[in-house]
Amino acid sequence: MSDAQAAKVRAAILGFGTVGSSVARILCDSKPAGVELTHIFNRNVARKRVDWVSQSVIWTEAIEDVLSAPVDVVLELAGGLDPAGDWVRRALEAGKSVVTANKKLIAEHGIALDKLARSKGCHLFYGAAVAGGVPVIPGLQQGLAGDRITRIEGILNGTCNFILSKMEDGADFAQILKETQALGYAEADPTEDVAGFDARAKLVILLRIALRADVAVSDVAAKSITEIAAIDFAYAREMGCTIRQISRAELRGDEVLATVGPMLVPQDSPLAWSRGTENMLLVGGAYGGDVVFSGHGAGGHPTAVAVISDLLAIAHGSCAIGLPSKKVGVSGDFLLRHYIRLVVKDRPGIIAQIAGALAEQEINIHAILQKPGHTKESLPFVVIVEPCPSSALRRALARIATFDYLLEPTLDLQILEPEAGL
Amino acid sequence: MSDAQAAKVRAAILGFGTVGSSVARILCDSKPAGVELTHIFNRNVARKRVDWVSQSVIWTEAIEDVLSAPVDVVLELAGGLDPAGDWVRRALEAGKSVVTANKKLIAEHGIALDKLARSKGCHLFYGAAVAGGVPVIPGLQQGLAGDRITRIEGILNGTCNFILSKMEDGADFAQILKETQALGYAEADPTEDVAGFDARAKLVILLRIALRADVAVSDVAAKSITEIAAIDFAYAREMGCTIRQISRAELRGDEVLATVGPMLVPQDSPLAWSRGTENMLLVGGAYGGDVVFSGHGAGGHPTAVAVISDLLAIAHGSCAIGLPSKKVGVSGDFLLRHYIRLVVKDRPGIIAQIAGALAEQEINIHAILQKPGHTKESLPFVVIVEPCPSSALRRALARIATFDYLLEPTLDLQILEPEAGL
């Protein structure tokens, strides 16, 4: 233990929403040694005031009150790039350490902020930015620093996992999305979650920590879960799979393969076991093999646990092991089997023409599945193709999209290989 | 990052067995920045020498060569209490930090050694002592320090898990034990593993870190897996369960409930999914809910990853968050359902008499199961009792043991409740 323990570390909360109030609540209840909450900052702070925090806490709506005070650690829990990014920068410049749950900020500006923190001799911790209460970042930084991680696969967005696991049980997308919003799991505008942007920011952070690869957020392709229908779960089940929003990346030579989107996951993979808002991360190491982390990735209290753990790390004089990362190119060109669901107005010769378009790109068909109970007027069927580069498949699908009997845009999902499981 | 990074940290390996040679191999291959291997110590070191480590490494069989050298970190990978404990003490006294994979030493003497390390201003890390390559200790210390952990349940011995998951698939205990020994997963004398002593040492370490409870190793009851037979897996399956060696503990008021042994685990619990030599730990927090860690708990390379991660933590100026623990009493008196398997020479009145012995202790019978295909001369059957204190059941079983129609000692297993799963 260090000298830092002798004096109490003074902490300020920026943003008194769900996570901020959970952090305050846990600090008040469990009174961890070495830590004191001194400020709570929020816009229109009057409406936020609660009577269960210590009388000595200063409530303020002026960020300068925090930045000019002898606060040691700023807990940035407001989220978003602006103005939170400015607060974090100014806090670090003032020599204050920062703990943040802000995945967007860390994904976009983490490297620069880390550099700024080091130059000021203070700390930047963001364990809560990925997988909330599941200690994925400390587990990787502290526990797996000695390995060479070559692959990560995870369920990093609890909202999508909740929706897809409910759809697996028979719920309809639109209906379950409404329910998810009513439960407070999804925002009024669910785009960040369902389009994969939230998970992508987290994947970019993990790429940096686990694969030591710096990539731009916008370089990683994200596919929405909105196109998934009940029939896809039925076909997936037939193949011994389910469907989950997966964020995955692996090293291939000097570049990194990375993507986020709904995928077919074998039912015997740990990734298929995660239900509800659970988060899960599977990490493949060159020396240690596969390690799986899972638990509650979101919600006030689990996220607050990660924030307070980081605060305690600073209070106890610990520091993150920052192994160097380097800029690398990103590709989405995985070599995987694909699930392709087409809806056609049936007539003779369709299979031949589709098979031809695939063959032109040297893609082999593994199976064709067609469930009974549909009319020839609107006939869904599924083509499973053998492992092929995503780019080749994209070309084939562009060709197929020109065929006039197609009634809906074609759905194309990667299939996680069984050996990808633990 | 700290000033420690400027100079290289000099490390010595004590014990060049499976783990020691894996550590050397990974250090040679991945050449992590800030670390240099300077010494390898082993008895009769000549027979251990390999040509793939740097020429500059000093091979020695005299521990003084290491202790008197300007070595910064000693990696103790010999195991056992003696003489390894003496080496660790002398290294710390000489102001050297220590990284060890020695669960026995840390379980017995961890608190004193930690104190010694702090008094000398150096570090004691033992991330490899529990669950090998699965970052359970950094995950708890660094990532969950902000929670109040109330319960841990885990599969902490890969050998037992390998044996029991093979028995689940139909293998015979004696035969699979031999196979396990041939594969190098079990020692010639398998007592440490099968009797639960290895897992118990790890549980005691986790009790300290997660529940902040200091308990004596010998105060935790351990039950051997040797009494488990094929028929128990058949009955377990009928109940939607399997059998695993489980190490578990929970806080109850001022004391801690703790035990190690084979238990019935519901098939929908993550603990039932672990197969082969996998390790798994489920941690229940008051604020963050359940978190699960799993992966390869043993073997040279996974254990070496944990050792090198600890070494890097020291090289990067990090330190373990040592939250205070306190001495507490241990009880094995869980309130759980039990599986009781009896083998009798059948005659009328047996059930009535056994039910009577249970009723005397106010234990209710939930179900009686009897699979066909056995003769009245040697009839196995199973009694499932409703949740009852283990102590009451022990008294009832002592009474039942006096009945003359019992042909074998009665097997009694705890049943993990379904809600114990994630």
Side-chain angles (χ1 to χ4, degrees):
Chain A
M1 302 196 204
S2 81
D3 295 345
Q5 269 188 284
K8 277 199 179 186
V9 161
R10 283 155 302 197
I13 291 175
L14 306 192
F16 202 67
T18 310
V19 177
S21 60
S22 280
V23 167
R25 173 64 82 180
I26 298 174
L27 288 176
C28 290
D29 286 1
S30 67
K31 297 183 182 57
V35 168
E36 187 187 356
L37 179 62
T38 60
H39 292 71
I40 294 173
F41 161 85
N42 205 90
R43 273 177 300 179
N44 306 324
V45 75
R47 75 199 152 101
K48 291 285 189 178
R49 219 175 253 274
V50 294
D51 58 5
W52 45 261
V53 300
S54 162
Q55 289 289 334
S56 66
V57 169
I58 296 163
W59 295 78
T60 178
E61 53 194 19
I63 190 71
E64 283 69 24
D65 285 354
V66 173
L67 296 176
S68 64
V71 161
D72 304 300
V73 184
V74 165
L75 313 177
E76 187 277 297
L77 308 172
L81 291 180
D82 192 37
D86 189 49
W87 300 338
V88 166
R89 250 169 247 115
R90 288 172 64 194
L92 292 171
E93 271 159 10
K96 300 180 192 312
S97 289
V98 171
V99 171
T100 177
N102 192 331
K103 58 223 154 202
K104 219 166 175 174
L105 179 66
I106 296 300
E108 293 283 354
H109 303 298
I111 295 175
L113 291 171
D114 222 36
K115 212 169 146 184
L116 174 59
R118 277 204 307 276
S119 77
K120 294 290 176 181
C122 46
H123 298 281
L124 173 66
F125 274 77
Y126 44 85
V130 180
V134 193
V136 159
I137 290 182
L140 284 165
Q141 280 188 327
Q142 198 82 20
L144 295 174
D147 207 343
R148 187 162 53 79
I149 311 292
T150 57
R151 188 177 108 256
I152 52 181
E153 279 168 12
I155 290 175
L156 300 178
N157 181 279
T159 307
C160 286
N161 207 58
F162 184 84
I163 291 173
L164 292 173
S165 62
K166 286 285 179 184
M167 285 180 76
E168 184 182 344
D169 298 340
D172 168 72
F173 178 80
Q175 169 205 331
I176 194 66
L177 176 60
K178 260 189 213 159
E179 225 176 274
T180 310
Q181 287 166 323
L183 283 165
Y185 295 155
E187 305 290 326
D189 175 2
T191 312
E192 278 286 314
D193 291 320
V194 299
F197 302 148
D198 173 85
R200 180 171 69 175
K202 295 166 180 169
L203 181 64
V204 165
I205 297 172
L206 292 178
L207 272 162
R208 203 179 292 153
I209 294 174
L211 303 185
R212 296 166 202 171
D214 294 342
V215 306
V217 175
S218 56
D219 284 353
V220 177
K223 177 179 278 194
S224 174
I225 65 164
T226 48
E227 308 307 314
I228 307 295
I231 193 165
D232 300 309
F233 279 97
Y235 279 117
R237 201 168 299 124
E238 204 162 288
M239 298 166 60
C241 290
T242 186
I243 300 172
R244 291 287 184 268
Q245 188 210 43
I246 302 291
S247 304
R248 62 193 308 251
E250 59 187 77
L251 291 179
R252 190 172 60 186
D254 281 341
E255 65 176 8
V256 79
L257 296 173
T259 191
V260 174
M263 298 182 198
L264 264 72
V265 178
Q267 258 147 10
D268 59 1
S269 160
L271 295 166
W273 304 335
S274 71
R275 303 190 67 78
T277 58
E278 202 184 331
N279 275 211
M280 185 177 277
L281 183 70
L282 191 154
V283 175
Y287 300 111
D290 286 355
V291 170
V292 176
F293 302 84
S294 71
H296 300 283
H301 274 28
T303 308
V305 163
V307 170
I308 295 173
S309 298
D310 282 351
L311 174 61
L312 288 172
I314 293 172
H316 286 249
S318 192
C319 66
I321 305 181
L323 295 173
S325 57
K326 62 174 186 182
K327 265 205 170 9
V328 297
V330 186
S331 160
D333 220 6
F334 287 94
L335 198 73
L336 279 176
R337 289 190 301 153
H338 282 252
Y339 165 103
I340 300 161
R341 188 247 297 151
L342 305 106
V343 183
V344 297
K345 187 165 155 57
D346 201 20
R347 70 173 191 219
I350 289 182
I351 296 287
Q353 206 179 12
I354 287 168
L358 292 166
E360 269 171 31
Q361 301 295 333
E362 304 198 338
I363 296 169
N364 289 321
I365 292 177
H366 173 75
I368 294 177
L369 311 174
Q370 189 183 317
K371 284 195 164 289
H374 298 274
T375 74
K376 281 179 172 299
E377 287 308 296
S378 176
L379 183 72
F381 70 98
V382 165
V383 178
I384 308 298
V385 299
E386 291 184 0
C388 66
S390 311
S391 53
L393 184 61
R394 210 173 310 121
R395 287 190 295 273
L397 291 178
R399 174 93 182 89
I400 289 170
T402 65
F403 300 156
D404 63 356
Y405 41 77
L406 273 187
L407 299 177
E408 289 181 19
T410 297
L411 177 71
D412 149 39
L413 303 177
Q414 295 185 351
I415 304 175
L416 279 188
E417 299 304 310
E419 61 269 36
L422 187 71
Chain B
M1 301 194 203
S2 81
D3 295 345
Q5 270 188 282
K8 277 202 178 183
V9 160
R10 283 155 302 199
I13 290 174
L14 307 191
F16 202 68
T18 311
V19 177
S21 61
S22 280
V23 167
R25 172 64 81 179
I26 297 174
L27 287 177
C28 290
D29 285 1
S30 67
K31 297 183 182 56
V35 167
E36 187 189 357
L37 178 63
T38 59
H39 292 73
I40 294 174
F41 160 86
N42 205 91
R43 273 177 300 179
N44 306 323
V45 75
R47 76 199 152 100
K48 290 285 188 175
R49 220 174 252 275
V50 294
D51 58 6
W52 44 261
V53 300
S54 161
Q55 290 290 334
S56 66
V57 169
I58 295 163
W59 295 77
T60 178
E61 54 193 21
I63 189 73
E64 282 71 23
D65 285 354
V66 173
L67 296 177
S68 64
V71 162
D72 303 299
V73 184
V74 165
L75 312 177
E76 186 279 296
L77 308 171
L81 292 179
D82 193 37
D86 190 48
W87 299 338
V88 167
R89 251 169 247 116
R90 288 172 65 193
L92 291 172
E93 272 159 10
K96 299 179 193 311
S97 288
V98 171
V99 172
T100 177
N102 192 331
K103 59 225 153 200
K104 220 169 174 172
L105 179 66
I106 297 300
E108 293 283 355
H109 304 297
I111 294 174
L113 292 171
D114 223 35
K115 213 169 146 184
L116 174 59
R118 276 204 306 277
S119 77
K120 295 290 178 180
C122 48
H123 298 282
L124 173 66
F125 275 78
Y126 44 86
V130 180
V134 192
V136 160
I137 290 182
L140 285 166
Q141 279 187 327
Q142 198 82 21
L144 295 175
D147 206 342
R148 190 162 51 79
I149 311 290
T150 56
R151 187 177 107 256
I152 51 180
E153 280 169 11
I155 290 175
L156 300 177
N157 181 279
T159 307
C160 285
N161 207 57
F162 184 84
I163 291 173
L164 291 173
S165 62
K166 286 285 181 185
M167 286 179 77
E168 184 181 344
D169 297 340
D172 169 72
F173 178 80
Q175 170 206 328
I176 194 64
L177 176 60
K178 259 188 214 160
E179 225 176 272
T180 311
Q181 287 166 324
L183 284 165
Y185 295 155
E187 305 289 326
D189 175 3
T191 312
E192 277 287 314
D193 290 321
V194 299
F197 302 148
D198 172 85
R200 181 171 68 174
K202 295 166 180 169
L203 181 64
V204 165
I205 297 171
L206 292 179
L207 273 162
R208 205 179 290 153
I209 293 173
L211 302 186
R212 297 168 202 172
D214 294 342
V215 307
V217 175
S218 55
D219 284 352
V220 177
K223 177 181 278 193
S224 175
I225 65 163
T226 48
E227 309 307 313
I228 306 294
I231 192 164
D232 299 310
F233 279 96
Y235 279 116
R237 200 169 300 126
E238 203 161 291
M239 297 166 61
C241 291
T242 185
I243 300 172
R244 291 290 183 267
Q245 187 210 44
I246 302 290
S247 303
R248 63 192 308 252
E250 60 187 77
L251 291 178
R252 190 171 61 187
D254 281 342
E255 65 176 9
V256 79
L257 295 173
T259 191
V260 174
M263 297 182 198
L264 264 71
V265 178
Q267 257 147 9
D268 59 3
S269 160
L271 295 166
W273 304 335
S274 71
R275 303 190 67 79
T277 58
E278 200 184 331
N279 275 211
M280 184 177 278
L281 183 70
L282 191 154
V283 175
Y287 300 111
D290 286 356
V291 170
V292 176
F293 302 84
S294 71
H296 299 283
H301 274 29
T303 307
V305 163
V307 170
I308 295 173
S309 298
D310 281 351
L311 173 61
L312 289 172
I314 293 172
H316 286 250
S318 191
C319 66
I321 306 183
L323 295 174
S325 56
K326 63 175 186 179
K327 265 204 171 8
V328 297
V330 186
S331 161
D333 220 5
F334 286 94
L335 198 73
L336 280 176
R337 289 190 300 153
H338 282 252
Y339 165 102
I340 301 160
R341 189 248 295 152
L342 307 105
V343 184
V344 298
K345 187 166 153 59
D346 200 21
R347 71 174 191 217
I350 288 182
I351 295 288
Q353 206 179 13
I354 287 169
L358 290 166
E360 268 172 31
Q361 300 296 333
E362 305 197 335
I363 296 168
N364 288 321
I365 292 177
H366 173 75
I368 294 177
L369 310 174
Q370 188 181 318
K371 284 195 163 288
H374 297 273
T375 72
K376 281 177 172 302
E377 286 308 297
S378 175
L379 184 73
F381 70 98
V382 165
V383 178
I384 309 297
V385 298
E386 291 183 0
C388 65
S390 311
S391 53
L393 184 61
R394 209 173 311 119
R395 287 191 295 272
L397 291 178
R399 174 92 181 90
I400 289 169
T402 64
F403 301 156
D404 63 356
Y405 43 76
L406 275 187
L407 299 176
E408 288 182 19
T410 297
L411 176 70
D412 150 38
L413 304 177
Q414 294 185 353
I415 304 175
L416 279 189
E417 300 304 311
E419 60 269 41
L422 186 68

